[in-house]
């Protein structure tokens, strides 16, 4: 009953309240990105959700479009600086996902939605992460985020699927607040983002 009724209800009520509460911060972030980085303001991308259904995720853009002499984009860590780095370090880039939660595409707590191209690469156990809605934060995020291996991340995702309940969600929520404050596990090995998943062999 919690997963199918109370969790979606709490998600949507919470998302609506937070969108109203954080609207000044969302507006300020929008203006700062527009002034200092230019358009686009938002980063949008197709991601797989519940049962692998594709939806569009929204985040604030944090990386520039800087390129090398041959026209190729610079590595992520070289394009993350200035206002983008500040927004990323404070996890403000996640705020637009409240709209995804309000629409019922995401939950506050659940496995992070990854790339569509990863779908055929999961083994049967890893694919179970799509048995629940993806979340803004999750069990894997408070256990290392981008600082742990893909195999560890998926193990935490499936562990969440098998043990989902209100108290587990509350624990993850409170630990997420702690992680945001101490800025722990944001990057992997000095990189701005996690390296791509190429399947488990």
């Amino acid at each position: 009953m919690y997963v199918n009724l109370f969790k979606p209800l709490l998600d949507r009520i919470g998302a609506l309240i937070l969108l109203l509460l954080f609207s000044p911060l969302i507006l300020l972030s929008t203006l700062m990105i527009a002034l200092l980085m230019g358009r686009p303001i938002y980063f949008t991308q197709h991601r797989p959700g519940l049962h692998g259904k594709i939806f569009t995720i929204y985040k604030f853009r944090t990386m520039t479009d800087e390129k090398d002499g041959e026209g190729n984009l610079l590595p992520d860590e070289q394009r993350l600086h200035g206002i983008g780095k500040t927004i990323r370090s404070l996890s403000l880039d996640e705020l637009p996902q409240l709209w995804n939660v309000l629409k019922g595409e995401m939950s506050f707590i659940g496995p992070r939605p990854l790339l569509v191209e990863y779908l055929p690469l999961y083994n049967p156990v890893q694919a179970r992460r799509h048995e629940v809605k993806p979340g803004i934060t999750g069990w894997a995020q408070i256990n290392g985020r981008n600082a742990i291996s893909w195999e560890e991340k998926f193990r935490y995702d499936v562990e969440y699927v098998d043990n989902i309940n209100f108290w587990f969600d509350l624990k993850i929520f409170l630990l997420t607040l702690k992680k945001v404050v101490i800025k722990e596990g944001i990057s992997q090995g000095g990189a701005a983002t996690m390296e791509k998943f190429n399947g488990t062999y």
Side-chain angles (χ1 to χ4, degrees), residues 120-137:
L121 301 179
Y122 298 135
N123 64 37
V125 175
Q126 294 167 347
R128 295 193 57 224
R129 68 192 313 278
H130 293 295
E131 292 179 8
V132 297
K133 287 182 183 179
I136 294 178
T137 186

Side-chain angles (χ1 to χ4, degrees), residues 126-200:
Q126 294 167 347
R128 295 193 57 224
R129 68 192 313 278
H130 293 295
E131 292 179 8
V132 297
K133 287 182 183 179
I136 294 178
T137 186
W139 188 224
Q141 278 60 54
I142 59 95
N143 279 288
R145 200 173 176 177
N146 289 342
I148 59 176
S149 70
W150 282 112
E151 286 70 25
E152 291 175 294
K153 187 181 298 243
F154 295 142
R155 178 170 57 82
Y156 283 122
D157 288 343
V158 175
E159 184 177 344
Y160 174 77
V161 171
D162 288 336
N163 296 281
I164 183 172
N165 61 66
F166 172 77
W167 298 110
F168 196 12
D169 277 357
L170 181 60
K171 176 181 179 179
I172 293 170
F173 175 75
L174 294 175
L175 288 173
T176 296
L177 294 181
K178 177 184 175 183
K179 291 282 183 180
V180 170
V181 170
I182 64 177
K183 301 179 180 65
E184 184 179 76
I186 292 175
S187 299
Q188 181 196 44
T193 55
M194 183 115 180
E195 64 181 13
K196 282 197 172 186
F197 175 61
N198 294 309
T200 301

